[in-house]
Amino acid sequence: MLPATLPLLGMPLSGAGAGVADGAAGESVLPPAGLALLRWQWHEVEAPYLVAVWILVASLAKIVFHLSRKVTSVVPESCLLILLGLVLGGIVLAVAKKAEYQLEPGTFFLFLLPPIVLDSGYFMPSRLFFDNLGAILTYAVVGTLWNSFTTGAALWGIQQAGLMAPTVRAGLLDFLLFGSLISAVDPVAVLAVFEEVHVNETLFIIVFGESLLNDAVTVVLYKVYNSFVEMGSVNVQAIDYVKGVASLFVVSLGGAAVGLVFAFLLALTTRFTKRVRIIEPLLVFLLAYAAYLTAEMASLSAILAVTMCGVGCKKYVEANISHKSRTAVKYTMKTLASCAETVIFMLLGISAVDSSKWAWDTGLVLGTLFFILLFRALGVVLQTWVLNQFRLVPLDKIDQVVMSYGGLRGAVAFALVILLDKTKVPAKDYFVATTIVVVFFTVIVQGLTIKPLVKWLKVKRSDHHKPTLNQELHEHTFDHILAAVEDVVGHHGYHYWRDRWEQFDKKYLSQLLMRRSAYRIRDQIWDVYYKLNIRDAISFVDQGGHVLSSSGLTLPSMPSRNSAAETSVTNLLRESGSGACLDLQVIDTVRSGKDREDAIMHHLLSGGLYKPRRRYKASCSRHFISEDAQARQDKEVFQQNMKRRLESFKSTKHNVCLSKSKLRLRKAGRKKDGSADKDTPNGKPHRASNLPDTAAVILAVESEEESDSSETEKEDDEGIVFVARATNEVFREHKVPGNGSMEVCPSPRIIPPSPTCAEKELPWKSGQGDLAVYVSSETTKIVPVDMQTGWNQSISSLESLASPPCAQAALRAAHPLACAPPRGDELRDPLAALVTPSPEPHAGFTFAPSLAKAGRSRSESSADAPEQQELQPLMAPEDRGCLSPGTANARWLIQFNRAGRL
Amino acid sequence: MGSSQSTSEEVRELVGKTGFSSDQIEQLHRRFKQLSGNQLTIRNLRKAPTGLADEINFEDFLTIMSYFRPIETNMDEEQLEHCRKEKLRFLFHMYDSDSDGRITLEEYRNVVEELLSGNPHIEKESARSIADGAMMEAASVCVGQMQPDQVYEGITFDDFLKIWQGIDIETKMHVRFLNMETIALCH
């Protein structure tokens, strides 16, 4: 994005930078005598080159500032940048003998401001914003009007009183004009300072929202006064005042309307970008920028337009665009905004050096500083007093102090004052100087002191706790309750109307603006759940090994390690990760700790790590970013973890449903053997088991988000997992039809890990003499254990060899798509043919049939679950040729587990 | 109380009990009569599961509504804490449908299912898994690290308080009660 904007930025800046002629040394005046080996073409690249260099300097400066944490924690970055600008400007002045590189109003309004406003609008916490909209609007409209009138009038007063030099030739209108541009709180400055202060969110949104929305008022006042000044005060008629008031509404409402129209367009466009994902981020920026330019063109409030565009489109755009586009949008927006902000502050500093534009008047400067502080504070107190009559949560005195002190002025004021016409406003030079001083004072002095002030006043700070599922749920319930209570009371207030809006949004807007697949799963609660799951999966994978090594077999006792904020599902997940140990823990005759640790590590790795397999996907397209291996692996790891989590849920659920006595949070084990198959989205029924047993009617309770999203995110291939599983039940088989996706991964995925040698040799295990049949995942050899003890030792090593030598592998390669819609009937049998089942049921296997019916595989968590050791992946679904009916007492459960999609 | 005009003592008593102003009580009484069709009580029209009251009188009505009063500005810390607890207790009872002092997984699930019922595309199963996830999270927040054989039976009120720790309930759980005659005739 950055290089793309550079030429744009360059055009107006080139005017500022054109004066540099030093670089033109290489240009020859005479026609070249021959072929030049090298030609120096500075002029052709000058403008963009200079822009790039400036941005580079600013970025490098940022890096330098942040080298020292101490400095940036005390001094806001904006102050440092301004100071740097002053220094650089001084250097340029000393070298070139004249000031260069001013902050040009055109550049500022057309190129530097939009990214910042878009960023703030797009990432505005909309709920908070609308909750406090009343207060924000009051401060933005009434407050700004109040500030500009009083400041202008008071300045005129002290001029009349003779406190200013007589060279300041300005009438009341000039002062009002100056008051209008100097009184507006600046969004860039406020954002730069308040982002580092971390006041509580209500306070932040009020100050920040005010700074964004007051733009409309500022623009109107500025334009109205400016035209009054140009007309001359004698020519102003009463009708012009009326027009001025009317234009306030036109400009603000018009700007907002333009923004909303473009937000609508943007949302609608992104609905259809499914096949051209790559341009999604571009669309966001283009349409938002178009909104800005359109509003600017119609002389409406452009800031308001972009803000509304960002606020309005976010929900739908985020739902429509892909995950990667979302990241791209986020980062590009942040980069552009931070880049623009840096350049603005630096140019502010540089511009201040140019003394030719200055005309200093102590009375005016001091008077302005005093009055803007005074009237800001007065205005805030008065308005808050009025607002508190209506607000249910009043703003207290400390809030008011911070609000008045947080009224920073910035580059908008500077750009506006530069735009003044010197012939019409004779005191322009004085105003410029005063504005620079005011901006510097507010940004540097107030910016420096606001942090200690906030600390000293003990302003409620925002606590950045991560969103929890409970919180989200409660808040939603809460919204409903409040809306209901308002209904009962009979007063249709804010909650009622918000509820109505949400209904409307759900019924019409979302349906119109969201992709159908996105609309389906669109729900805030769902989003939070989804995000938490991803976070947990990542942290689990990150920490899995660590847990083991630190705590060995015992469950990690971690409360001390984690802060309160950290104790989330993550902990439980960690438990569930290490819950694999539970099986072993109950065994008395355990081997050495090392063996156990090895075993755990093995299962953990095999469960939590990516399993390489072959895929046949030609990914060479310019319009699609093919998933890189890392992302794909992450996805798989996530899927596996989700299965694991669901396993633990199932045992939980189970206890509640059936016994209703105890809710037991089980730490599910390592085997996500997929006891629950996934419900397929296209609604094909499960093939029921063909044996009328009581047990093992496997419920389709696989992770919903997987099935849901498998509809939405289509473009990756999947493995199909076949799991052979020994249970005490008779044959079950279960089928999940393929979803007809074009790309089906030809090679099945191996889900359950194979046991380690040490485990197999554990006494309790071997003592049973049971169905220990191992299927080597790679070679699809199935070997009875009692016949092939030596086999055990080699399994682990065999697994690492990824070359299936046997015929099945060749067959698989030959029919890559054969496994896509597996046919359940036939699939049961290959195992039976290959397996030598033991005649005896497990002695210690005591599942209640009802438990199994509930579809919970509890083998991981129960002590008497040796059969999990026999869980083996069966890799050869295609070899139907060797099917033979299974023996009645062969207790194998074959399940298909189509890997969920993210 | 009832359809006749409330005497001032009754009103004063209610003011003391619920903290509403007498104007607000007048308003609410009018609304109550409107809802109840001039009966003494509002009948519960839903075929509700057991455990719900069949009908409530005006005093109950006021008591319920008083939970949604905004906090007073001049409260000290202790009162604030008390107020917060009261509000949360009310909420807790909304979850705890069998009022055994615990929000069991089943109860939680019902809540989540109803929350998600607005979206027909989200199936019950997903609601369930969300409730499960939330329950697990609650367990981890409230109990911390659980022993393998430890049992989490449900969210007790203390746990509930813990979960809500980060949220300023006292600044959120309120509804505007008007003093003036602006109540819309809505149903």
Side-chain angles (χ1 to χ4, degrees), chain A residues 2 26 58 61 89 97 133 153 177 186 195 207 317 342 351 428 444 519 552 608 648 663 707-708 810 815 882:
Chain A
L2 200 56
K97 300 286 185 255
L133 191 62
L177 173 62
D186 183 67
E195 269 190 343
V207 176
V317 168
T342 311
S351 309
K428 180 187 170 186
I444 294 180
Y519 170 67
S648 71
L663 164 60
S707 60
D708 278 338
H815 307 285
C882 43

Side-chain angles (χ1 to χ4, degrees), chain A residues 390-425:
Chain A
F390 298 101
R391 273 180 79 87
L392 292 175
V393 187
L395 294 161
D396 57 17
K397 291 210 170 51
I398 293 175
D399 289 345
Q400 294 174 33
V401 171
V402 175
M403 280 170 62
S404 3
Y405 203 68
L408 306 178
R409 271 63 165 182
V412 173
F414 182 77
L416 285 178
V417 81
I418 293 285
L419 274 181
L420 287 178
D421 185 355
K422 176 125 198 208
T423 56
K424 300 283 173 23
V425 188

Side-chain angles (χ1 to χ4, degrees), chain A residues 201 389-394 460 463 465 467-478 480-482 485-492 495 506 511 519-523 525-526 529 532 555-559 562 564 567-576 582 585 645-646 648-650 652-654 656-657 660-667 679 700-702 704-705 707-708 856, chain B residues 27-28 31-32 35 42 61 64-65 68 70-71 73 90-91 94-95 98 100 103-109 111-112 114-116 118-141 143-155 160 163-178 182-187:
Chain A
E201 40 191 20
Q389 308 297 310
F390 298 101
R391 273 180 79 87
L392 292 175
V393 187
K460 250 204 238 163
D463 40 348
H465 49 84
T468 62
L469 201 51
N470 278 297
Q471 199 171 322
E472 188 69 24
L473 283 174
H474 289 323
E475 293 199 344
H476 268 258
T477 325
F478 207 55
H480 287 289
I481 292 174
L482 286 183
V485 169
E486 280 195 347
D487 211 22
V488 168
V489 173
H491 167 241
H492 285 180
H495 299 289
K506 210 170 228 166
Q511 232 152 355
Y519 170 67
R520 286 196 171 185
I521 57 164
R522 182 72 194 175
D523 194 282
I525 300 174
W526 185 253
Y529 182 60
L532 281 176
L555 282 173
S557 47
M558 290 200 171
N562 294 296
T567 45
S568 59
V569 206
T570 318
N571 265 352
L572 280 179
L573 249 172
R574 262 185 232 121
E575 286 178 35
S576 73
L582 287 182
Q585 210 169 14
R645 277 189 78 175
L646 279 155
S648 71
F649 286 145
K650 274 167 219 148
T652 308
K653 278 194 236 170
H654 168 74
V656 168
C657 298
K660 184 65 181 160
S661 60
K662 304 245 151 174
L663 164 60
R664 214 178 166 108
L665 283 182
R666 294 216 170 254
K667 325 310 178 278
D679 202 358
V701 270
E702 196 43 30
E704 253 63 40
E705 73 275 3
S707 60
D708 278 338
R856 272 125 206 160
Chain B
Q27 284 299 326
L28 285 172
R31 178 68 181 162
F32 180 80
L35 287 177
I42 299 179
F61 181 74
I64 294 170
M65 287 303 135
F68 291 92
I71 47 165
T73 40
F90 180 81
L91 270 190
M94 298 201 72
Y95 287 91
D98 62 358
D100 62 347
I103 302 171
T104 57
L105 184 60
E106 202 65 2
E107 285 161 352
Y108 210 163
R109 263 189 213 156
V111 173
V112 176
E114 275 189 35
L115 269 185
L116 292 172
N119 189 341
H121 302 293
I122 292 188
E123 293 152 34
K124 268 199 168 176
E125 279 305 330
S126 25
R128 286 174 160 240
S129 56
I130 289 178
D132 293 344
M135 200 67 177
M136 197 148 122
E137 191 185 83
S140 79
V141 169
V143 187
Q145 200 69 21
M146 293 187 59
Q147 295 307 306
D149 54 348
Q150 202 176 340
V151 156
Y152 192 67
E153 298 176 13
I155 304 173
F160 197 68
I163 295 170
W164 277 87
Q165 220 151 35
I167 314 172
D168 288 341
I169 181 80
E170 62 268 21
T171 63
K172 283 186 176 158
M173 185 167 169
H174 48 57
V175 162
R176 192 182 300 278
F177 293 98
L178 287 185
T182 51
I183 291 181
L185 292 176
C186 50
H187 296 280

Side-chain angles (χ1 to χ4, degrees), chain A residues 287-429:
Chain A
L287 277 164
Y289 194 49
Y292 186 91
L293 292 181
T294 310
E296 190 76 46
M297 184 178 68
S299 68
L300 302 173
S301 168
I303 292 188
L304 211 53
V306 172
T307 308
M308 292 314 285
C309 183
V311 170
C313 74
K314 185 180 185 200
K315 180 181 172 189
Y316 311 104
V317 168
E318 294 270 286
N320 280 338
I321 64 181
S322 74
H323 188 70
K324 290 196 179 66
S325 302
R326 235 173 286 162
T327 313
V329 166
K330 183 177 167 191
Y331 273 90
T332 315
M333 220 176 254
K334 293 279 177 206
T335 307
L336 285 180
S338 126
C339 179
E341 188 189 285
T342 311
V343 170
I344 285 175
F345 281 118
M346 210 171 67
L347 286 181
L348 261 185
I350 293 177
S351 309
V353 176
D354 182 10
S355 57
S356 66
K357 289 182 183 167
W358 279 47
W360 179 272
D361 182 79
T362 315
L364 180 64
V365 168
L366 289 183
T368 312
L369 270 183
F370 175 72
F371 285 131
I372 61 164
L373 287 175
L374 174 74
F375 289 123
R376 167 90 186 162
L378 255 180
V380 165
V381 170
L382 285 178
Q383 290 172 79
T384 313
W385 183 79
V386 175
L387 276 175
N388 276 349
Q389 308 297 310
F390 298 101
R391 273 180 79 87
L392 292 175
V393 187
L395 294 161
D396 57 17
K397 291 210 170 51
I398 293 175
D399 289 345
Q400 294 174 33
V401 171
V402 175
M403 280 170 62
S404 3
Y405 203 68
L408 306 178
R409 271 63 165 182
V412 173
F414 182 77
L416 285 178
V417 81
I418 293 285
L419 274 181
L420 287 178
D421 185 355
K422 176 125 198 208
T423 56
K424 300 283 173 23
V425 188
K428 180 187 170 186
D429 288 350

Side-chain angles (χ1 to χ4, degrees), chain B residues 10-145:
Chain B
E10 274 173 310
V11 170
R12 216 171 299 129
E13 191 184 323
L14 285 173
V15 166
K17 251 187 211 164
T18 60
F20 283 115
S21 73
S22 51
D23 278 351
Q24 286 169 330
I25 290 180
E26 287 281 316
Q27 284 299 326
L28 285 172
H29 191 219
R30 217 163 291 147
R31 178 68 181 162
F32 180 80
K33 278 197 287 188
Q34 189 188 344
L35 287 177
S36 64
N38 264 334
Q39 300 300 304
L40 285 182
T41 56
I42 299 179
R43 295 200 62 85
N44 184 4
L45 296 178
R46 254 173 64 177
K47 298 276 172 281
T50 53
L52 292 184
D54 282 340
E55 46 188 24
I56 54 170
N57 61 21
F58 181 59
E59 199 174 334
D60 302 332
F61 181 74
L62 266 194
T63 315
I64 294 170
M65 287 303 135
S66 72
Y67 284 111
F68 291 92
R69 260 176 345 107
I71 47 165
E72 311 282 335
T73 40
N74 49 6
M75 275 190 182
D76 56 22
E77 279 297 310
E78 202 173 313
Q79 279 172 310
L80 212 63
E81 190 53 37
H82 179 73
C83 171
R84 176 185 165 83
K85 254 192 179 158
E86 283 306 306
K87 280 173 189 266
L88 282 179
R89 194 178 294 280
F90 180 81
L91 270 190
F92 181 76
H93 286 309
M94 298 201 72
Y95 287 91
D96 183 21
S97 54
D98 62 358
S99 54
D100 62 347
R102 272 179 209 289
I103 302 171
T104 57
L105 184 60
E106 202 65 2
E107 285 161 352
Y108 210 163
R109 263 189 213 156
N110 288 337
V111 173
V112 176
E113 266 169 33
E114 275 189 35
L115 269 185
L116 292 172
S117 61
N119 189 341
H121 302 293
I122 292 188
E123 293 152 34
K124 268 199 168 176
E125 279 305 330
S126 25
R128 286 174 160 240
S129 56
I130 289 178
D132 293 344
M135 200 67 177
M136 197 148 122
E137 191 185 83
S140 79
V141 169
C142 304
V143 187
Q145 200 69 21

Side-chain angles (χ1 to χ4, degrees), chain A residues 24-36:
Chain A
E27 201 179 30
S28 55
V29 185
L30 300 170
L35 181 68

Side-chain angles (χ1 to χ4, degrees), chain A residues 817-891:
Chain A
L817 289 180
C819 58
R823 278 162 228 151
D825 291 294
E826 298 156 304
L827 275 163
R828 156 172 48 117
D829 294 329
L831 247 196
L834 295 168
V835 154
T836 316
S838 109
E840 310 270 326
H842 293 291
F845 191 45
T846 56
F847 275 136
S850 55
L851 299 195
K853 183 186 242 160
R856 272 125 206 160
S857 100
R858 304 183 49 197
S859 56
E860 312 76 67
S861 47
S862 53
D864 50 353
E867 64 283 343
Q868 64 175 329
Q869 306 301 330
E870 290 117 25
L871 273 177
Q872 295 300 331
L874 180 64
M875 290 272 303
E878 303 87 350
D879 46 357
R880 302 193 187 92
C882 43
L883 300 181
S884 72
T887 48
N889 56 352
R891 298 156 194 78

